[in-house]
Every structure is written in C-alpha cells, then in structure tokens.
Amino acid sequence: MSDVGDERLADVLASLGMSTPCPVVNRPVLEANLSRMADEISAKRVALRPHFKTHKSVQIAQMQADRGAAGFSCGTVGEAECLADSGFDDLFVAYPLWVDGNADRLRHLQTRARVRVGVDSVESAERLGSVVRGGLPLDIVIEVDCGLHRTGVPSGGVLPIAQAAEKSGLHVAGAFTYGGHAYTAAGAAVKAGHDEQQALLEARDALISGGFEVDVLSAGSTPTALLSAGGVVNEERPGVYVFNDRQQVEIGSCADSAVALCVAATVVSTAIPGQFVVDAGSKALSSDRLPWMQGFGNVGVRTDLVVDSLWEHHGVVKGSGGIGDARVGDIVAIRPNHVCSVVNLFDEYAITDDAGCSERWPVSARGLNS
Ligand SMILES: Cc1ncc(COP(=O)(O)O)c(C=O)c1O
C-alpha cells in the first residue's frame, strides 16, 4: 500500500466481505458525536429531535433515542414510515408536505406514531385538514424563513396559516425554521443561529397575538444547533453531526477528528501523470458541492488531495502537494463533501471500531425518497 493508501480500511472491508466504494463508519467517533450533541443540547434544557435523513439507519436512531432524543425529524413520509416500522413513535415530517397520493400513508402513519407535519401555506394547511378530517388529530408546525430563502414564510406571516389550519381542524403546535445559510461561508453559523432565534421569537409573538398556544419552537442545522438552542428555541434538529463531513470541517463546525464516515474507494488507474482515479464517482460521492468549495471530497485528512472531477463511476484525484506514490489497488479513504447525499446511495455501512471489530449495518431508509 502506498502513502495515500489505508491498510486498515482494506482489512475492514476484507473482513466483512465488502468491496469499494463503501461508506465506512468509525463507531467510537460516531458515538462521541452522538453523546456530545445529546449532552450539550440537554444541558441547555432543549429537546433534541435529530434529522433521520442523514444516516437513515434504525440502529443509529436507537443510539440517539438511548441518549435522550425526544423524537425524529424526517425528510420524507417514507423515512417516517421506516422509523414507525421500528417502533419510533414521535415523528416530524420537517418540510411543507403537500398531500396527494400519500394521503393514505399519512393517515396510516398517524395510527402508529404521533406525527407532526411542516406547513408554509394556507393551501397546504387546508389540504392537510381535508385529508385527515374525521380521523386522528394532526399537529402542524409552521415553517418560517430565517434567511436561507428556501421554504417558510416570514415570521410575521404565520397567523393566516395558523388560522386556516385551525379552521381545517388541525392543531397548530408552533413554528420551525432552518438556518441553512450557515453553510454559505466559514463563520456564517453565528449569524444563522441568531437568525433562527429571532425568527422563532417573532413567530411565537405573532401566534400568541392571534390567541394560539405555542408548544414547539424548533430550529437547527448541524452548525447552528448549539448556537440557537435556548431562549425561546425549545427544540433542535441537527442531522449531519452524527458523521460530519468535509463541509462541516471547512466551515469550522467540527474538528477533523470528529468526522466519523469516509467512503472507501480503490485506486483503479494511475495511467495519467499527476492524478489517480478511484472507483467512486457521482454514484458514490454524489455531486453535491457548495458554490465556494473545490472538488467532491478529499483523501484522508489531506485537504489538498481532492476529488477534482467526477464521472458516474470514476473520481479523478489531484493534489497541489502531489499525489504521493499512489498505486493501482490502493484503498483510500475519501471524506465526502456532504454525507447525507452519499448515504442515500448505499445499501449498507461498514461499521468499525478501534479494536478491529467490524459489522455491516443496513441503510434502512435508503431510497425512501417520497
Ligand atoms: C428542515 C431541516 N431541519 C434540519 C436539517 C438538518 O440540518 P443539517 O443537515 O445541517 O444537520 C435539515 C437539513 O437539510 C433541514 O432541511
């Protein structure tokens, strides 16, 4: 193995009978990440409702529940169904759900779990109300935009939605926001965390002024969770923190040592000088890349050794400090840009610990994208 190769990673895959590309999780680092977030959020007396979309693993969900998670946030109804199938019974579909062909699934989910749904329009509130009318009560949480400008109404605009929801027979539980503009640059999280608090404060006041009781004021991304927790914010929904990734390191949200997942890949070509090619392309690393980032992942902790371009099954690695003596057949550890998109591309994780014990865990909700 060359100086860029990772002998231990090769041994783990061989012992599990797995081949590259493959997501490999360092269990002690995963556990430390889970415990740190759980402890720090709980010290602020705020509920932790981690986002399941990052890991999509019922094993890891159980580890979060064991550390006191109040429930789970989900990116799709399918993710919520997967958790309900495993007995998790407090679930938040954390985006503005439009019910159509999924109406029966939502009603069935309600029979198995306490379900909350995100809403950011009068139309979707009315539609949700008509779908669950005569059935079990449904909590909705109104999304407010705190600066990402993706979904959510301005905080001052929550009241018409709350009134329409109530009129439609829904229970208005509160408001939520997502400070995803924390990812726009290193250091942006401080302002984004503040924006989350401010938006929820204003949403709460608007709801109270309309006579609503406000139970839930939910914020949080991985970079902002510990910054916005407390004050009016009584719930946080970080997802990526379980594994972390290259984005988190580059924006200063976590240390190198807190990255728990890499994609193991094999060097398949060194034919062209100045680069090597691995068997991990866009179908393993995803093509996610924030506008200010270069490349699609880096090798090990060498930030200069970057997956410079991608094909479906090829990643071309180049390094400003050279490519070492990379050899065909080397197994390398690639730190992906955005771990959530990567996980959804695989059926299984390789889980390993420092004592050399390894296991295969399924990506339980893999592909449950609706
Ligand atoms: C609504 C919502 N909440 C929470 C999260 C989790 O944030 P992060 O991915 O930064 O951990 C996301 C991520 O996309 C989200 O969209």
Side-chain angles (χ1 to χ4, degrees), residues 51 53-54 73 94-95 143 150 176-178 183 220-223 237-241 248 338 340:
H51 213 305
K53 54 117 198 182
T54 298
S73 304
Y95 73 102
E143 182 165 10
R150 180 181 69 177
F176 79 105
T177 194
Y178 173 61
Y183 289 101
S221 64
T222 291
R237 307 181 314 276
V240 175
Y241 77 98
Q248 300 296 336
H338 183 200
C340 308

Side-chain angles (χ1 to χ4, degrees), residues 239-261:
V240 175
Y241 77 98
V242 297
F243 298 138
N244 289 312
D245 53 23
R246 185 169 175 236
Q247 284 176 187
Q248 300 296 336
V249 173
E250 295 217 352
I251 62 168
S253 157
C254 76
D256 261 336
S257 56
V259 179
L261 183 146

Side-chain angles (χ1 to χ4, degrees), residues 42-86:
S42 136
K44 291 172 184 273
R45 300 188 189 288
V46 167
L48 181 60
R49 184 178 289 273
H51 213 305
F52 182 59
K53 54 117 198 182
T54 298
H55 55 78
K56 291 174 170 268
S57 154
V58 294
Q59 275 98 334
I60 297 174
Q62 189 58 54
M63 294 162 91
Q64 292 173 310
D66 292 343
R67 288 166 174 76
F72 290 91
S73 304
C74 302
T76 65
V77 174
E79 287 184 357
E81 289 171 328
C82 173
L83 283 167
D85 288 346
S86 296

